[in-house]
Amino acid sequence: MTDVNQQAKQFEFKAETKQLLNILVHSLYTHKEIFLRELISNASDALDKIRFEITKGTDVAQKELPHEINIDFNEKENTITVSDTGIGMTEAELIANIGTIAKSGSADFIKKISESGAEATNIIGKFGVGFYSVFMVADKVEVITKSYKHDSKSLKWISDGLGTYEIVEIENKLSRGTDIIIYLREDQKEFAEKYRLEQIIKKHSNFISFPIKIKNEQINSVQAIWREPKSSLTKEKYVEFYKFLTFESEEPLEIIHKSIDAPIQFHCLLFIPSKSNEYFFYNREDYGLDLYVRRVMIQHKTKELLPEYLSFVKGIVDSEDLPLNISRETLQEDVVFNKITSNVTSQILNALTTMAKDDIEKYNKFWNEHSKVFKMGYMDFTNHDKYTELLRFNSSACQSEKDIISFEQYTSKMSADQKEIYYMVGNSREAILSDPHFEIFSRKGLEVLFLFDPIDEFVLSSIRKYKEFELKSVDQVDLSKLEKLSDINEKPKYESLEKDDELHFKSLLSKMKEIIGDKISEVCESKRLTDSPACIVNTDSGMSASMQKVLGMMNKESSVPKHIFEINKNHKLIRNLIKVFKKNSNDEFIKEITEQLYESSLLLEGYLSDSHKLVSKINSFMEDSSDWYVSVKKI
Ligand code: ADP
Ligand code: MG
């Protein structure tokens, strides 16, 4: 191959590319071998693309070439060559594809990698950084390529990965496709060696669906394992494939392998990862299954195959019935495709249902890792029943915040006269347990689901019912029904009020309403409280207090909706207040206590925007009580 008598054109890498190259060239990453995985994966993509063009009937150059990847090396010269007979590149494509980083999320990736310093190495391993990773081992790279389009020129791209690259037209590259010639750095000689190359291919690229050959000897297994009968596959094989597909290092939590015959024919091999990617550098939009049609790869990461709430699932779908020329644009209108999608969703939900039945520990792991995403499934009305059975919550009957139960478990324990499922929103188990609204449920021994995640309430208010049982936020419950139930614990010991005091209590309530004014709609006697003196209660029975708050925030509304202010007449503080009231209904102390009780209740419901006033009042109450303490104790 000689250069055509023509000047080489000089180009500069884009800033983002330079930044990435700089990181890679200086990387101390110990698994530099992944460069080969990346180059082979590009070669395989290029072969997928040519195979796709050919099956579509496009007239491509050198149609008869075998679809394969060849690897050559030269120990003396310290070089490796990775060649494919794929789609190749034109000059414009070379510039667009290898001079710029097109991958979405690369900017984030670079930012992350430069921020995380030493840890960057894990990120390189996990996400791969494509073509440029070759500069971890090379001080010069040549890409020699010829596009599948007829009359394409042979081109050579050369760079040392430092800042610029050159493109020059060459004479007669013989065949369609791309050769990548890697000039290894002095300290990376180890890679120009057969055993080492073979080992890397077996480890990272064994399932590439085209033959990978080293000096004409095939190394990989080229097996569409999703089309093999289950009985012929071992767990190890599945795990190996999973690691190949996802670059994960851990085993998957669940493997779902199905061949469906009716009503449509397809194979799927799906995996539920054992770890969520949510907290790591992760782009939520970046999901989907690989779509094949009769073994031909049509599209990586096909989102349309999975509802978003199952986006954590990885894997492959291979259809017998779809046309090969199906395109992203037409996918969603295709009847067969839609049937596949809904069948895939059912397969996953069925697998989860079985897991929940047969292996609770495993299901709990699933829930811990993936429930954040899974909860978004409340919009899947088609699979409503299956989805609902799969939901889990902490509840008042659990031992700790970590335990979870299903609706099924909840309803199996409740008494025949309970017709509703109760839930309560809060920041933590402790917060809910000490919340005034929980008191009556605790007194009556009624189980309450505890919701800690803001999305939980959206889920529950959207699904509304489990079987015939309505889901009710504790502040929307009709208390008159609960009161009829007997208490599970002994009644707290307080004397009932004298008839006369009962009347005074009624007047005290009116007085309190007068003190607080229009901010509340009503002051009344509480039926729900046991240990707390007062609380505020939602008046809009259509919506729970926390939901109102969320909606208020969305509408940028900061006003407090009107509430009922409930008073516990059996609380010692209120009993004393009745005494004060009897003596002098205009006593300043009544006003102070009432305001304080109201503000404390607002605080508990999350409505108090400024707590300064509240705190300074508490301080002045403590000051008074210290006076009494000193005088009573005769200090
Ligand atoms: P990615 O593979 O994720 O797109 P890479 O950095 O690995 O990112 O590759 C960048 C692009 O360069 C590819 O998308 C492809 O268009 C082009 N490319 C790389 N290697 C080849 C090849 N062997 N044949 C054809 N095109 C290639
Ligand atoms: Mg790539």
Side-chain angles (χ1 to χ4, degrees), residues 359-377:
D359 192 340
I360 294 176
E361 203 179 315
K362 196 171 180 185
Y363 191 78
N364 287 357
K365 266 191 206 149
F366 157 76
W367 190 255
N368 262 335
E369 289 299 323
H370 301 295
S371 60
K372 259 208 146 49
V373 173
F374 183 76
K375 282 173 189 172
M376 290 191 287

Side-chain angles (χ1 to χ4, degrees), residues 42-43 46 84 89 97-98 103 130-131 178:
N42 286 349
D84 66 66
M89 281 176 275
N97 300 342
I98 305 213
K103 209 189 269 175
F131 173 77
T178 305

Side-chain angles (χ1 to χ4, degrees), residues 38-39 41-43 45-46 49 84 87-89 97-98 100 103 129-132 145 178 180:
E38 295 298 323
L39 296 184
S41 130
N42 286 349
D45 287 348
K49 286 176 193 157
D84 66 66
I87 201 162
M89 281 176 275
N97 300 342
I98 305 213
T100 15
K103 209 189 269 175
V129 277
F131 173 77
Y132 303 103
T145 188
T178 305
I180 315 267

Side-chain angles (χ1 to χ4, degrees), residues 14-27 100-101 103 106-107 109-111 113-114 124 128-133 135-136 161:
K14 293 262 161 64
E16 204 182 58
T17 314
K18 273 194 203 168
Q19 219 180 333
L20 176 59
L21 280 166
N22 191 35
I23 291 164
L24 290 168
V25 168
H26 295 110
S27 146
T100 15
I101 311 179
K103 209 189 269 175
S106 335
F109 173 77
I110 295 169
K111 190 161 161 270
I113 215 170
S114 38
I124 292 178
V129 277
F131 173 77
Y132 303 103
S133 62
F135 287 104
M136 291 195 294

Side-chain angles (χ1 to χ4, degrees), residues 525-548:
E525 177 184 340
S526 179
K527 302 291 183 205
R528 78 183 76 225
L529 298 173
T530 320
D531 303 320
S532 307
C535 71
I536 54 171
V537 178
N538 203 2
T539 51
D540 177 359
S541 60
M543 208 191 288
S544 77
S546 56
M547 200 62 143
Q548 268 181 3

